[in-house]
Amino acid sequence: MANLTLIQAVNDGLKTAMRADESVVMFGEDVGPKGGVFLATEGLTAEFGKGRCFDTPLSEDGIIGTAIGMAMNGLRPVAEIQFQDFIFPAFDQIVSEAAKLRYRSGGQYTAPMVIRTPYGGGIRGGLYHSQSGEAYFAHTAGLKVVIPSTPHDAKGLLLASIQDPDPVLFMEPKALYRSVKGEVPEGEYTVDLSTLRTVREGRDVTVYCYGAMVPVVEKAAAQAKEQRGIDCLIIDLRTLLPLDEEGVIEAAKQTGRVVVVHEAPRFCGYGAEISAMIAERCIEYMEAPVKRVTGFDTPFPNTLEHHYLPDERRVLDAIEAVYDF
């Protein structure tokens, strides 16, 4: 196995998919010879040619509209939106066209396409390069929303997304692009969508997280064990839509105490859905109210980024609060 960073695993996944299937094409802003702003597509144009990995105009709605047309006509496009913050001009194309195509055509047409986009904070990008908009898209039937947190999952989930018959929004935590490394199998393999990953076993508190918050939660759980002897069960959600709901409920029942962590704003954030699901389906098992640790309900700051993003101290406080309730 190769020891890769998360961004290298994404690059390897794209190359693997393009070598295996000539219908896979990659395009977006600066993804061609330059290799993308984070070098996720480095080397693709050189290996596969300008017909299969190419630059587009600065037009997000045009990028996604083109991908939909390609997907309807036999290709498997992978479209990159350079930063998730730039995706909103294409919002209508994603939620009203790509996500609805199978339904509105009675199954006659589908949109097997992947939209790759880096999201979240951690690089001092300020308010226009640091947003976490997963909740907007997890509200959309017909769309899948996937967020990896390890190099292994980045490649495996990406390959599964490219093979999926419906549109997938593949959100990459840019804070982890080069800060995590791990073993990644060579060649083709997939990680099933709509499955959870147990990061750490534990009996006292269940902590749900995804993306860049997974390493933060791991650090907080280690401190909870060292300082208080609290055992945390850490669950990486990985696929936000469709979610493995039964897996979520079972993990909550195991401990009766739950913390949910994400860097997006708190109000109507994805953690609210996890909290509601637990309240509706397993309240009788709960020993404490669900705690959420999130970003704040403000625009994303620049100089105060380290205060905005959840850190291990805030997560540890929540773990101790539900444990001591």
Side-chain angles (χ1 to χ4, degrees):
M1 291 189 183
N3 193 34
L4 303 180
T5 63
L6 195 144
I7 193 70
Q8 289 171 331
V10 169
N11 181 268
D12 189 31
L14 291 170
K15 289 178 178 176
T16 300
M18 295 176 77
R19 288 167 185 161
D21 185 352
E22 291 187 355
S23 70
V24 178
V25 294
M26 177 74 226
F27 56 95
E29 298 165 8
D30 296 324
V31 304
K34 182 179 178 181
V37 67
F38 294 104
L39 302 182
T41 57
E42 186 177 31
L44 267 62
T45 300
E47 179 172 349
F48 302 104
K50 294 181 179 179
R52 293 187 62 199
C53 181
F54 55 90
D55 293 332
T56 67
L58 304 182
S59 174
E60 284 74 21
D61 56 341
I63 292 170
I64 302 305
T66 299
I68 295 170
M70 288 179 167
M72 290 176 65
N73 287 278
L75 297 178
R76 287 189 174 268
V78 181
E80 178 179 296
I81 301 298
Q82 195 171 69
F83 288 86
Q84 186 252 277
D85 312 62
F86 305 163
I87 205 168
F88 300 110
F91 191 81
D92 184 58
Q93 290 284 355
I94 297 170
V95 304
S96 298
E97 303 299 337
K100 304 293 191 295
L101 189 59
R102 179 185 288 276
Y103 180 83
R104 71 181 293 202
S105 69
Q108 185 177 1
Y109 296 101
T110 61
M113 55 184 280
V114 175
I115 305 164
R116 289 184 43 255
T117 189
Y119 85 97
I123 64 163
R124 300 284 184 181
L127 71 166
Y128 287 128
H129 297 79
S130 307
Q131 296 178 75
S132 301
E134 61 270 18
Y136 292 113
F137 298 98
H139 193 63
T140 304
L143 189 67
K144 293 181 174 68
V145 181
V146 178
I147 302 180
S149 67
T150 68
H152 177 277
D153 282 0
K155 181 179 177 181
L157 289 168
L158 180 57
L159 288 170
S161 298
I162 292 171
Q163 296 171 13
D164 197 87
D166 291 298
V168 178
L169 178 62
F170 194 85
M171 301 178 67
E172 300 163 8
K174 55 180 173 290
L176 301 186
Y177 267 161
R178 292 176 173 83
S179 64
V180 298
K181 294 190 76 172
E183 291 189 341
V184 177
E186 297 179 3
E188 187 170 345
Y189 70 93
T190 59
V191 174
D192 290 341
L193 305 183
S194 192
T195 60
L196 310 176
R197 180 175 72 95
T198 300
V199 179
R200 174 181 177 142
E201 297 284 358
R203 65 181 184 274
D204 296 323
V205 177
T206 302
V207 187
Y208 300 101
C209 51
Y210 52 88
M213 291 296 100
V214 174
V216 173
V217 170
E218 289 185 275
K219 292 177 183 177
Q223 293 179 25
K225 180 66 174 177
E226 180 182 350
Q227 298 175 16
R228 297 282 308 277
I230 302 172
D231 256 342
C232 291
L233 169 60
I234 303 176
I235 300 295
D236 179 3
L237 298 176
R238 298 198 297 197
T239 300
L240 305 192
L241 182 70
L243 176 68
D244 179 3
E245 296 187 13
E246 295 305 321
V248 168
I249 296 304
E250 183 57 35
K253 289 179 179 179
Q254 286 184 42
T255 67
R257 297 176 174 86
V258 167
V259 175
V260 189
V261 184
H262 59 70
E263 63 181 283
R266 181 177 185 273
F267 190 80
C268 286
Y270 192 80
E273 181 61 31
I274 301 296
S275 301
M277 188 182 302
I278 291 169
E280 291 170 353
R281 297 185 54 186
C282 61
I283 189 66
E284 67 271 24
Y285 291 87
M286 301 308 293
E287 302 289 343
V290 176
K291 279 279 188 182
R292 287 178 286 166
V293 183
T294 70
F296 300 113
D297 296 327
T298 68
F300 196 97
N302 187 3
T303 56
L304 297 177
E305 179 182 75
H306 58 294
H307 288 298
Y308 181 94
L309 291 170
D311 58 16
E312 52 263 37
R313 178 191 57 78
R314 288 172 59 194
V315 176
L316 178 61
D317 287 347
I319 290 170
E320 291 181 331
V322 298
Y323 183 77
D324 291 335
F325 183 79

